[in-house]
Amino acid sequence: MPYLRDVLGELGDGAMDLVFAPVCVSCDRPIPTTEKDRLVCRLCWVKCRTLPHPRCERCWAPVPAHEDPRPKCRTCGDWPQAVRAIRAAFVMGPEVKGICHALKYRGWEGAADPMAQRMSEMSWPRDVEDEVRLVVPVPTSAARLRERGYNQAALLATAFAKKMGWTASPDVLARTRQSKTQTALHPGERKANVARAFSVPAERAAELQGEHVMLVDDVWTTGATALACSQALLDAGARVVSVATFARVIPELER
Ligand SMILES: [Zn+2]
Ligand SMILES: [Zn+2]
């Protein structure tokens, strides 16, 4: 009903809400008209939890209170030096999952903006803030792009870059071959499944030279995908890669 929507739009959000009565994409309850965010209700946002302390300064993995992650963190200790910092706005949980699904599977492209807003509130080491200029999303497969019409990571990367004053460069990474869906695989299998699945087309390598690139995805699960993408960016000439996601799966914390 584009015409009705236009007419009502001129009457303001109140009239739109009478007809379209927005419900939260995560909990399906009506969103009170007093709330500014028309896609995710305030209660769901309140239930989204940030990553717990203490955590590794580099990768933000939770660290047991009695354990010092230096000099070698159990999670990131073996990663390439050029992978600098990993951040996620929230721990995966029911509300976070609902928001991710709305963006990824249910066509709620507008969710990218409030999600990127939360990502823009994360703190980074000083050198990351000083050096990053380019934001690159994890690419999706051509088949999934045809099916959904958009890459959720690219929407997040674009909105996140805008909020941070950086530049989104959506097509720098490409999938070189179809990897199987990661969902049903164990960590070791995930790593083998995505190794060498990504590359930078030759004509895009120039813009990466010497850059500290910010890689963006919706969810960090084992890190296999993000680390494979990071390696492809480094192989193509990037100097350093950091990674920002909306959610991070921490199995021991999932409710
Ligand atoms: Zn809700
Ligand atoms: Zn770490």
Side-chain angles (χ1 to χ4, degrees):
M1 288 183 290
Y3 176 68
L4 179 59
R5 199 176 258 276
D6 287 346
V7 171
L8 290 165
E10 287 178 18
L11 297 173
D13 285 347
M16 290 285 280
D17 288 357
L18 282 176
V19 178
F20 297 102
V23 293
C24 171
V25 297
S26 179
C27 70
D28 288 331
R29 283 190 283 264
I31 300 180
T33 47
T34 48
E35 290 179 21
K36 196 163 154 274
D37 190 330
R38 310 311 292 148
L39 287 175
V40 182
C41 77
R42 196 184 57 82
L43 203 61
C44 280
W45 281 124
V46 168
K47 287 180 185 165
C48 293
R49 293 183 303 161
T50 53
L51 275 69
H53 293 274
R55 55 199 178 193
C56 168
E57 187 273 335
R58 181 191 184 200
C59 74
W60 271 20
V63 176
H66 59 274
E67 200 177 290
D68 190 341
R70 294 159 302 178
K72 190 170 171 177
C73 164
R74 201 185 291 187
T75 304
C76 69
D78 293 327
W79 296 353
Q81 279 285 311
V83 175
R84 173 64 183 94
I86 313 300
R87 300 287 183 266
F90 298 113
V91 176
M92 184 59 86
E95 294 78 20
V96 174
K97 191 173 274 174
I99 297 166
C100 288
H101 275 228
L103 176 66
K104 192 168 183 171
Y105 302 114
R106 294 172 52 205
W108 287 104
E109 294 173 58
D113 193 72
M115 291 166 79
Q117 178 59 40
R118 273 37 183 215
M119 290 167 67
S120 75
E121 290 160 10
M122 305 185 294
S123 64
W124 294 92
R126 182 65 191 273
D127 56 294
V128 177
E129 288 186 355
D130 288 348
E131 294 172 6
V132 170
R133 289 187 300 175
L134 271 186
V135 182
V136 171
V138 169
T140 190
S141 69
R144 263 176 244 167
L145 198 58
R146 270 196 306 276
E147 182 187 319
R148 292 184 198 140
Y150 59 89
N151 169 10
Q152 78 283 353
L155 295 181
L156 279 180
T158 302
F160 179 57
K162 197 171 167 192
K163 290 175 197 298
M164 299 299 287
W166 296 331
T167 304
S169 216
D171 305 316
V172 162
L173 272 173
R175 279 195 187 248
T176 38
R177 61 174 175 75
Q178 181 63 53
S179 51
K180 287 182 276 183
T181 178
Q182 293 280 79
T183 318
L185 302 175
H186 301 298
E189 295 173 322
R190 281 180 177 235
K191 202 172 168 190
N193 187 35
V194 296
R196 294 178 302 282
F198 304 96
S199 69
V200 175
E203 69 274 16
R204 301 303 299 271
E207 63 193 276
L208 293 175
Q209 302 313 304
E211 294 287 340
H212 183 157
V213 177
M214 181 63 67
L215 180 72
V216 167
D217 205 356
D218 52 349
V219 181
W220 173 288
T221 305
T222 63
T225 299
L227 290 172
C229 286
S230 300
Q231 195 56 58
L233 291 166
L234 295 168
D235 290 346
R239 186 176 54 84
V240 185
V241 177
S242 289
V243 186
T245 63
F246 176 71
R248 176 160 175 161
V249 175
I250 300 178
E252 56 271 38
L253 291 179
E254 272 204 89
R255 280 174 284 174

